[in-house]
Amino acid sequence: MCGIVAAVGNIDTDKCQRMLHRIKHRGPDDTGEIRRGNVWLGHQRLSIMDVEGGHQPLTDSGATTYLVANGEIYNHRHIREDLGHELFETGSDSEAALHALIIDGPVGLARLRGMFALAFATEEGDFLAARDPLGVKPLYWARRDDVILFASELRAFDEADRPLVESFPPGHCWSPSGGLVRFADAIPAHVRPARRAEEAGVWDRTLVKAVRESIVTAVENRMMSDVGVGVFLSGGLDSAIVAAVAAEYAAKNGQSLPTFAVGAEGSSDLEAARVVAEFLDAQHHNIEHHEILMSPQDAVDALPRAVTAIEHYDPSLVRSAVPNLLLAEYASKRVHAVLTGEGADELFAGYPYYHEEPFTDPDALQAELVRTVGELHHLNLQRCDRASMAFGLEAREPFLDRDVVELALSIPPEHKMIGPGIEEKKLLREAFEGWLPDSILHRGKEQFGDGSGAKEVLEAAVRNSPDVAAAEGVELRTREEAGFYAIWDRELRGIRPEATLGLFATT
């Protein structure tokens, strides 16, 4: 996990270095840069895979191609076997992306399974930038007449360039010769519900088993690390499932599993997380559970940092970001990577509004699930990435594994609808019966900002915020949102809200 900066065109090295320095928090372990002709690549590294040998920019044995990458390529071992181990000089998973692009060109992006934003260059001046299909890892760009600039975060850009900054679209690559090209859809075109309700009936054990196995595999793949992995444990169903699978994996490999929970004293999240940790520890004897108590003053003090870190002012994201930031600050001193439960609600219809009109119609529900999964990159994923990377901590989201996404969205939407005796995410709960205590397996949905106790404190903190002149086209819906926007506007002066909200056109 890292931060990247790239430029192609009329290079201003000082500007590029300034941009890289502004995202040093994303990779505090190492800094690397290289210029070749009209291309500049920069990298801030958080050392997780091949700590000693994974310095970036990566290059091939002939030093004719270069790559900087942010993220993880989870199938890098398979790519090594397919392309030939003799090509590889490091144990870095990012080197798989380098050789895939050397051998196949942009088509090589299709080989990569994981979360990534990358920039690739050759000695001859060729250049390519790309972002993973779901946009799990961030990438922004600013297109000037004489230079194109890329960076992992909005704050990286000079104020003069900020009005031009846009979110680089997920599943796309860009090169000077080919322009912007889609190489993968967030939701593959072939993913459609397998059968209608009248044909599907009640799900069978085969489907339950498939859901469980896909999630187990996704979690195990994300335990990949040379420096240890923990779990953010809110006590909700999704993070508890991740923790249960990770604990099983850690026990089989003779490892302990650190889990981290945050909340106000007596908050429901802290209590539920403690129940999960004690249950798993009794089964596996390998849980190291950590609780971070958040006082009202802690939440208020963290608010400006949280808004600045997540580069967003949406109230639901900010409420979640404050405890998330405190959790990341603590966890980063103990592990380099954590697993989270992001994505499960969007895949299995966990939010209450999914079960209200007009989404009581199966086709409408399916369309909304597909839409919200596709928009995660500028909402919950943006909050999750920035809050953790503010302290050089990598967050990994097993539920957003491509196989899990494809399976979940191929399930008839009728199987995700509630009814008499049928709670939300029943299929997911059934898949992990016996893995968790019943009280957690059937715990109702509670937003992170609510369960941690942050919501009321933050609403009060900005209740008397002064009126704010919002940018054109920005509608501030509540006094709370106006207060968060004022912080955002002060800290990210010059950035257009569209860059945060993902509303720019992609052509």
Side-chain angles (χ1 to χ4, degrees), residues 50 135 159 389 430 434:
D50 191 0
E159 192 165 332
M389 290 307 294
E430 189 172 326

Side-chain angles (χ1 to χ4, degrees), residues 231-247:
V231 175
F232 276 176
L233 181 58
S234 71
L237 176 68
D238 310 330
S239 66
I241 286 173
V242 171
V245 178

Side-chain angles (χ1 to χ4, degrees), residues 234 261-274 291-294 443 446 448-454 456:
S234 71
V262 63
E265 188 170 2
S267 63
S268 57
D269 274 5
L270 275 186
E271 293 177 0
R274 192 178 306 132
E291 293 185 351
I292 298 91
L293 281 176
M294 177 182 65
R443 185 186 180 201
E446 194 169 18
F448 187 33
D450 297 345
S452 65
E456 294 79 8

Side-chain angles (χ1 to χ4, degrees), residues 331-401:
S332 66
K333 298 177 176 67
R334 291 155 180 83
V335 294
H336 277 55
V338 291
L339 308 188
T340 78
E342 258 72 34
D345 285 315
E346 290 79 6
L347 292 172
F348 293 95
Y351 294 124
Y353 89 92
Y354 285 136
H355 307 290
E356 301 170 355
E357 292 289 349
F359 307 120
T360 51
D361 173 75
D363 290 332
L365 175 60
Q366 178 71 8
E368 181 65 2
L369 295 177
V370 169
R371 184 191 71 81
T372 51
V373 170
E375 291 188 356
L376 273 171
H377 67 279
H378 58 78
L379 293 169
N380 283 346
L381 288 178
Q382 180 167 328
R383 183 261 307 157
C384 182
D385 172 85
R386 304 302 197 287
S388 58
M389 290 307 294
F391 302 100
L393 179 70
E394 175 177 282
R396 301 175 176 178
E397 299 84 4
F399 284 105
L400 295 178
D401 180 270

Side-chain angles (χ1 to χ4, degrees), residues 5-22 31-42 146-147 149 156 158 161:
V5 170
V8 57
N10 183 16
I11 302 298
D12 180 340
T13 300
D14 289 341
K15 173 186 285 191
C16 293
Q17 290 173 339
R18 285 196 304 272
M19 292 176 65
L20 190 61
H21 180 75
R22 292 188 190 113
T31 301
E33 64 177 87
I34 194 168
R35 176 175 180 175
R36 289 295 183 268
N38 68 338
V39 174
W40 190 94
L41 303 179
D146 61 340
V147 65
L149 302 166
D158 280 1
D161 297 316

